[in-house]
């Protein structure tokens, strides 16, 4: 500000300059006075401004400055001392306020600067929040696309649909120019172009799987940017200078294909990945963003999951189809087997009856002829016929037993019998043959061997006879010994029977039978073959008569049914043989020890028993069989009447008849005839004994005979001795059922 001397006279000044200073001071004063008004307005409107007192101080400074300039207007002309005093006072106040304001600004400016710093920090934070919000929105958008793609991909479990849908949805979501999937080949050494987005029919060319770019992608679980010029990125031919856009590739995990061989996929693959290649449009400056790469990675994982489910479904479907085919084949095989079994059983039943009927004639007539006066040569021929016939009958029985054993229809019949008597009977049957060959036959029964046991006597006796019969047949000279004793628990640990683990009990025991001979022996390597049906020891058949090859096979099955085990030992040809078997037998209740069990048997020989005057009626629709049976009975002194039909038999039967023999193999006529005979004779003691004479060995035959009240069942063929024993047993016990 300009000063003036109030004492000295006014120095003349240029009028023009004075005029400009005067006008300037006026406008300066006007401006100074307007600024406080603006500050007052700002303070009034700004409710959060923290420095109001500073503004008040600054407003006072401005007002004083304006007042100084306003007062200065009067100093341009001669003025009084009062004006000078006022001017001085204004300047002093202005100086004080100016200094105070300057000092205050020294303290206020750092605060204002910190406020500015906070403002910048907040602006940066706001910018970061904006970026995060944008990222969240991008992630939400990516998640929405992932959910949409996952839903589309996993809406089906067809492998081809999954892969094609993946390419289509990725192409639509990311606006791709091309998208392709490379699958491993069967050898696992190459990748084959299998699916593409734009081409309906992929070209199907291959690239080696050991390329560096492929190894790089397979070694990372992230999407990898690759060169557009690499082999897996060249999905279509490009003309001129045209180049595809940015390319990324990602691996798609596959199931271990050694477990799931799917269509043309490899059975075993060292690389368990497929390769997905994605290409952006080339006509834009667009690049791959992070969220897009994350989207591709997530989709690749979802495709892997969907493919695993599809693979399991395809494998399950194929397994189900195979199982259904197997079930159909098994059902067909079962029906065919059942048909074959029924046909075989029907054939065996018919052949059994049809073969036993002529055998009945041969054996019966041969036995009758044997009891006549014959020359030595004739007797030898008759005995040969009889032996051959018995051998053939045994073969028929063996075939039937084997058939029933194989189809499971043969069941053991448990009954109480005398074990010691069984061995004595075996000796009585074998001794005549052994004596002819001059073989020493001995038997030893242990002292602790029970007298009475529970089991199937017929099958046990058949097994022993088969084993001993083989020993006699294949022994030219020497001895045969039969030893029987109770098997001790420690003997079950025999190394020769490792799979045989019996359980001892108080209600049963294990019988061990050992048959040793000094015969021809067997090669150790041939022993396993002996238990095979129709198998024979070739080293022996050239020197001894050959059998059917069924005996030991049937014995083994009988022993297995009796929960036992059988084996053969021999040191070689010419060194004899030992056959051992163990079977399980029951122990009768001690309360019945003194009750002798009744076991019906067909006695073997009753000497010269005569049945003169016994009236017998024979009913058989087969004329030859009827005549043979009549001849047997007449040879024994019976008065025989024959009938060829049920009606004829019913008319002929009377109170005078003691026994009626009838064939029941011709259907139900025989059973109905038995019922009608019962009805004809009201008193039981008046009616004759009714006995079925049949060649049918089915178990139901015996059951049907017992059901209709028959008194006995005899199986053909029948010799003179057997018929003699049958009549003796019938007249003595009034009942006789032969085991079938």
């Amino acid at each position: 500000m300009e000063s003036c001397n109030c004492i000295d006279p006014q120095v003349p000044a240029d009028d023009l300059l004075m005029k400009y200073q005067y006008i300037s001071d006026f406008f300066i004063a006007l401006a100074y006075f307007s600024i406080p008004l603006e500050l007052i307005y700002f303070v009034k409107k700004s409710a959060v401004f923290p420095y109001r007192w500073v503004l008040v101080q600054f407003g006072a400074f401005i007002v004083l400055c304006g007042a100084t300039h306003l007062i200065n207007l009067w100093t341009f002309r001669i003025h009084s001392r009062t004006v000078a005093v006022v001017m001085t006072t204004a300047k002093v106040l202005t100086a004080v306020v100016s200094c105070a304001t300057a000092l205050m600004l020294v303290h206020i400016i750092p605060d204002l600067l910190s406020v500015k710093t906070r403002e910048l920090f907040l602006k940066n934070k706001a910018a970061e929040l904006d970026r995060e919000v944008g990222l969240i929105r991008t992630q939400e958008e990516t998640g929405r696309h992932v959910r949409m793609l996952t839903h589309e991909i996993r809406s089906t479990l067809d492998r081809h649909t999954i892969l094609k849908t993946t390419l289509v949805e990725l192409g639509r979501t990311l606006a791709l120019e091309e998208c392709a999937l490379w699958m491993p080949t069967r050898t696992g050494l190459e990748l084959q172009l299998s699916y593409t987005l734009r081409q309906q029919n992929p070209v199907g060319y291959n690239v080696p799987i050991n390329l560096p770019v492929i190894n790089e992608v397979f070694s990372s679980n992230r999407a990898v940017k690759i060169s557009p010029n690499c082999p897996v990125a060249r999905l279509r031919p490009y003309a001129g200078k045209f180049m595809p856009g940015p390319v990324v590739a990602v691996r798609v995990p596959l199931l271990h294909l050694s477990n799931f061989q799917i269509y043309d996929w490899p059975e075993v693959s060292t690389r368990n990945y497929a390769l997905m290649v994605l290409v952006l449009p080339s006509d834009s400056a667009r690049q791959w963003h992070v969220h897009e790469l994350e989207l591709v990675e997530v989709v690749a994982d979802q495709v892997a999951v969907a493919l695993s489910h599809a693979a399991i479904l395809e494998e399950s479907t194929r397994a189900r189809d195979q199982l259904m085919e197997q079930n159909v084949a098994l059902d067909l095989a079962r029906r065919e087997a059942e048909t074959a079994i029924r046909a075989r059983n029907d054939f065996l039943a018919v052949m059994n009856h049809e073969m036993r009927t002529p055998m009945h004639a041969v054996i019966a007539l041969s036995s009758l002829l044997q009891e006549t006066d014959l020359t030595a040569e004739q007797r030898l021929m008759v005995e040969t016929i009889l032996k051959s016939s018995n051998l053939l009958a045994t073969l028929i029985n063996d075939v039937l037993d084997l058939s029933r054993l194989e189809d499971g229809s043969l069941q053991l019949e448990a009954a109480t019998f005398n074990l010691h008597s069984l061995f004595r009977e075996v000796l009585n049957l074998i001794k005549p043959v052994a004596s002819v060959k001059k073989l020493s036959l001995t038997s030893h029964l242990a002292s602790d061997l029970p007298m009475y046991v529970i089991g199937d006597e017929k099958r046990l006796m058949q097994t022993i006879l088969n084993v001993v019969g083989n020993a006699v047949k294949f022994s030219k000279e020497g001895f045969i010994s039969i030893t029987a004793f109770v098997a001790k628990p420690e003997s079950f640990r025999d190394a020769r029977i490792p799979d045989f683990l019996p359980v001892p009990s108080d209600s049963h025991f294990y019988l061990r039978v050992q048959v040793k001979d000094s015969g021809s022996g067997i090669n150790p390597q041939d022993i396993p073959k002996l238990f095979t049906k129709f198998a024979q020891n070739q080293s022996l058949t050239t020197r001894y008569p050959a059998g059917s090859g069924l005996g030991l096979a049937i014995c083994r099955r009988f022993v297995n049914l009796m929960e036992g085990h059988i084996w053969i030992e021999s040191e070689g040809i010419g060194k004899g043989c030992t056959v051992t078997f163990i079977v399980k037998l029951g122990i009768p209740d001690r309360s019945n020890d003194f009750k002798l069990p009744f076991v019906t048997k067909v006695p073997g020989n009753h000497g010269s028993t005569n049945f003169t005057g016994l009236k017998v009626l024979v009913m058989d629709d087969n004329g030859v069989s009827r005549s043979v049976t009549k001849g047997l009975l007449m040879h024994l002194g019976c008065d025989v009447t024959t009938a060829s039909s049920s009606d004829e038999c019913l008319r002929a039967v009377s109170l005078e008849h003691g026994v009626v023999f009838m064939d029941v193999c011709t259907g139900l006529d025989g059973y109905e005839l038995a019922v009608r005979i019962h009805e004809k004779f009201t008193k039981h003691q008046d009616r004759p004994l009714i006995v079925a004479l049949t060649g049918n060995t089915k178990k139901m035959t015996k059951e049907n005979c017992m059901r209709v009240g028959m008194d006995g069942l005899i199986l053909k063929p029948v010799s003179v001795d057997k018929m003699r024993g049958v009549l003796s047993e019938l007249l003595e016990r009034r009942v006789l059922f032969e085991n079938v």
Side-chain angles (χ1 to χ4, degrees):
M1 288 180 192
E2 297 181 359
S3 60
C4 62
N5 191 350
C6 299
I7 300 174
D8 295 332
Q10 179 67 38
V11 179
D14 185 46
D15 292 339
L16 183 59
L17 292 176
M18 293 294 292
K19 183 178 180 180
Y20 282 122
Q21 288 181 10
Y22 183 85
I23 294 172
S24 297
D25 282 337
F26 175 78
F27 282 106
I28 289 172
L30 182 63
Y32 275 133
F33 285 124
S34 64
I35 289 175
L37 296 177
E38 294 173 355
L39 289 176
I40 291 171
Y41 176 79
F42 172 76
V43 171
K44 184 178 179 181
K45 294 295 182 179
S46 178
V48 295
F49 190 75
Y51 301 108
R52 293 187 177 187
W53 60 275
V54 176
L55 291 178
V56 172
Q57 186 177 1
F58 187 69
F61 167 70
I62 295 300
V63 169
L64 289 174
C65 288
T68 302
H69 281 278
L70 183 62
I71 295 172
N72 194 46
L73 295 176
W74 280 273
T75 62
F76 287 98
R77 52 180 61 91
I78 298 173
H79 53 275
S80 64
R81 184 178 177 80
T82 302
V83 174
V85 172
V86 173
M87 183 66 178
T88 301
T89 302
K91 286 184 178 183
V92 170
L93 290 176
T94 301
V96 172
V97 174
S98 298
C99 291
T101 302
L103 292 175
M104 293 303 292
L105 288 177
V106 172
H107 297 285
I108 291 174
I109 286 175
D111 290 340
L112 293 176
L113 291 176
S114 64
V115 171
K116 186 64 175 178
T117 302
R118 289 193 194 97
E119 180 182 358
L120 293 175
F121 174 76
L122 291 176
K123 286 182 178 180
N124 293 334
K125 282 295 183 181
E128 290 180 5
L129 287 176
D130 290 340
R131 287 193 297 271
E132 290 179 1
V133 169
L135 181 61
I136 291 174
R137 290 177 178 175
T138 302
Q139 291 176 346
E140 289 179 352
E141 185 70 14
T142 303
R144 186 177 67 82
H145 287 303
V146 168
R147 288 191 297 272
M148 178 185 66
L149 288 172
T150 301
H151 175 73
E152 293 294 333
I153 293 170
R154 303 182 67 175
S155 61
T156 179
L157 287 178
D158 177 71
R159 178 171 62 93
H160 300 284
T161 305
I162 290 172
L163 297 177
K164 197 63 183 177
T165 301
T166 301
L167 301 186
V168 171
E169 293 300 326
L170 278 176
R172 183 174 60 83
T173 303
L174 299 177
L176 300 176
E177 179 177 310
E178 186 60 277
C179 184
L181 195 67
W182 297 79
M183 304 295 292
T185 59
R186 182 174 296 276
T187 62
L189 301 177
E190 294 180 319
L191 290 180
Q192 183 181 38
L193 182 59
S194 303
Y195 300 91
T196 58
L197 176 62
R198 304 302 177 191
Q199 299 179 12
Q200 296 298 324
N201 298 310
V203 293
Y205 61 89
N206 299 346
V207 297
I209 203 169
N210 56 357
L211 292 177
V213 64
I214 296 178
N215 291 331
E216 179 186 359
V217 176
F218 281 175
S219 62
S220 174
N221 59 356
R222 310 300 297 269
V224 178
K225 296 180 181 180
I226 62 176
S227 171
N229 295 320
C230 68
V232 292
R234 290 198 294 267
L235 302 177
R236 63 175 69 177
Y238 298 107
K241 298 181 179 180
F242 177 80
M243 290 295 294
V247 182
V248 296
V250 65
R251 71 185 188 186
V252 179
L254 303 176
L255 281 178
H256 195 271
L257 300 179
S258 60
N259 297 329
F260 297 97
Q261 184 177 358
I262 304 172
Y263 297 144
D264 55 344
W265 289 19
E267 182 176 359
V268 178
S269 177
T270 57
R271 303 280 187 175
N272 55 344
Y273 299 110
L275 185 70
M276 186 186 298
V277 178
L278 303 94
V279 183
L280 288 178
S282 57
D283 55 355
S284 66
R286 180 181 162 194
Q287 296 293 325
W288 286 100
H289 298 292
V290 175
H291 69 277
E292 292 176 333
L293 298 178
E294 292 176 351
L295 173 63
V296 171
E297 294 163 3
V298 173
V299 170
D301 292 337
Q302 291 298 322
V303 170
V305 173
L307 286 178
S308 67
H309 293 171
I312 294 173
L313 178 64
E314 290 176 356
E315 180 67 18
S316 301
T317 303
R318 182 165 58 253
R320 182 198 63 190
D321 294 340
Q322 292 177 352
L323 184 60
M324 291 179 64
E325 292 176 0
Q326 292 175 358
N327 288 339
V328 171
L330 287 174
D331 186 63
L332 179 60
R334 178 184 59 80
R335 289 198 298 268
E336 291 177 350
E338 290 175 350
T339 302
I341 290 174
R342 284 195 299 270
R344 183 191 63 180
N345 292 341
D346 294 342
F347 172 78
L348 288 174
V350 173
M351 291 305 296
N352 179 50
H353 176 259
E354 296 301 327
M355 291 178 71
R356 283 179 184 273
T357 299
M359 285 304 302
H360 173 56
V362 173
I363 291 177
L365 294 178
S366 299
S367 63
L368 286 174
L369 187 59
Q370 191 179 30
E371 296 194 1
T372 61
D373 293 332
L374 300 171
T375 64
E377 185 179 1
Q378 290 172 337
R379 185 168 298 280
L380 179 61
M381 288 189 288
V382 171
E383 288 177 353
T384 303
I385 293 173
L386 196 56
K387 288 180 181 178
S388 299
S389 301
N390 287 326
L391 182 61
L392 184 56
T394 302
L395 176 59
I396 294 172
N397 291 333
D398 286 348
V399 171
L400 183 65
D401 286 342
L402 183 63
S403 174
R404 294 167 65 186
L405 283 168
E406 288 183 341
D407 63 21
S409 62
L410 190 146
Q411 296 179 352
L412 298 179
E413 296 184 1
T416 303
F417 64 92
N418 190 321
L419 184 60
H420 291 230
S421 296
L422 183 144
F423 280 99
R424 286 195 296 270
E425 190 170 349
V426 169
L427 287 176
N428 292 334
L429 291 171
I430 296 297
K431 270 183 179 180
V433 182
S435 61
V436 171
K437 301 184 73 172
K438 297 181 181 181
L439 296 172
S440 172
L441 181 62
T442 60
S443 172
H444 174 69
L445 304 182
S447 58
D448 61 346
L449 194 66
M451 177 73 71
Y452 293 102
V453 297
I454 299 175
D456 192 325
E457 180 185 13
K458 178 182 177 182
R459 304 307 177 189
L460 179 59
M461 186 173 182
Q462 187 175 348
T463 302
I464 299 174
L465 281 174
N466 241 320
V467 174
V468 178
N470 281 342
V472 173
K473 181 169 64 173
F474 294 109
S475 297
K476 192 173 183 180
E477 59 183 11
F479 69 92
I480 297 172
S481 65
I482 305 173
T483 306
F485 54 92
V486 177
K488 305 300 181 184
E490 54 268 17
S491 67
F492 298 150
R493 293 190 289 271
D494 196 325
R496 292 165 296 188
I497 48 175
D499 298 331
F500 182 60
L501 300 173
V503 180
S505 172
D506 295 335
S507 61
H508 65 262
F509 74 99
Y510 286 88
L511 171 68
R512 181 164 180 157
V513 180
Q514 183 173 293
V515 180
K516 187 174 183 180
D517 64 68
S518 59
S520 56
I522 308 170
N523 284 324
Q525 62 268 24
D526 293 335
I527 290 178
K529 303 176 184 177
L530 298 179
F531 292 107
T532 304
K533 58 185 179 180
F534 305 115
Q536 299 173 356
N537 189 356
Q538 298 299 325
S539 61
L540 300 179
T541 54
T542 57
R543 291 176 288 168
Y544 297 93
S548 63
L550 292 175
L552 288 176
I554 293 174
C555 287
R556 186 174 203 170
R557 286 169 169 80
F558 282 158
V559 169
N560 289 339
L561 281 176
M562 290 184 275
E563 302 180 35
H565 192 74
I566 185 171
W567 68 96
I568 300 176
E569 300 172 86
S570 179
E571 295 181 0
I573 300 297
K575 296 183 179 181
C577 179
T578 301
V579 180
T580 307
F581 67 87
I582 300 175
V583 294
K584 178 181 176 182
L585 297 174
I587 301 175
D589 191 358
R590 293 186 178 274
S591 62
N592 297 325
D593 281 353
F594 299 101
K595 297 180 182 179
L596 295 179
F598 170 67
V599 182
T600 58
K601 297 182 184 177
V602 178
N605 193 341
H606 288 259
S608 59
T609 304
N610 197 348
F611 302 97
T612 304
L614 178 63
K615 288 185 175 293
V616 179
L617 176 60
V618 177
M619 193 282 290
D620 197 326
D621 61 346
N622 187 288
V624 175
S625 179
R626 186 169 64 249
S627 299
V628 170
T629 305
K630 178 181 179 181
L632 287 175
L633 293 170
M634 290 181 66
H635 179 76
L636 296 175
C638 299
D639 184 3
V640 183
T641 304
T642 61
S644 60
S645 65
S646 299
D647 294 337
E648 185 180 351
C649 179
L650 190 60
R651 289 193 300 267
V653 67
S654 66
L655 295 173
E656 296 178 353
H657 291 103
V659 181
V660 176
F661 287 102
M662 62 175 64
D663 190 356
V664 295
C665 292
T666 56
L668 295 177
D669 289 345
Y671 303 125
E672 293 175 357
L673 177 59
V675 173
R676 295 181 68 179
I677 290 176
H678 275 280
E679 295 173 351
K680 185 174 182 178
F681 298 93
T682 56
K683 294 182 179 180
H684 179 72
Q685 62 272 18
D686 293 338
R687 73 167 177 82
L689 297 173
I690 306 174
V691 181
L693 183 61
T694 178
N696 193 333
T697 57
K698 289 185 177 180
K699 186 177 180 180
M700 65 176 61
T701 303
K702 180 178 178 180
E703 295 174 351
N704 290 334
C705 290
M706 298 179 69
R707 176 177 54 82
V708 298
M710 289 189 177
D711 302 295
L713 171 66
I714 306 301
L715 292 177
K716 297 177 182 179
V718 181
S719 63
V720 172
D721 285 342
K722 184 174 180 180
M723 182 61 77
R724 185 182 290 118
V726 166
L727 290 176
S728 298
E729 193 76 17
L730 277 173
L731 296 178
E732 180 182 351
R733 298 190 180 273
R734 308 291 296 178
V735 63
L736 176 61
F737 281 94
E738 187 177 355
N739 289 332
V740 295

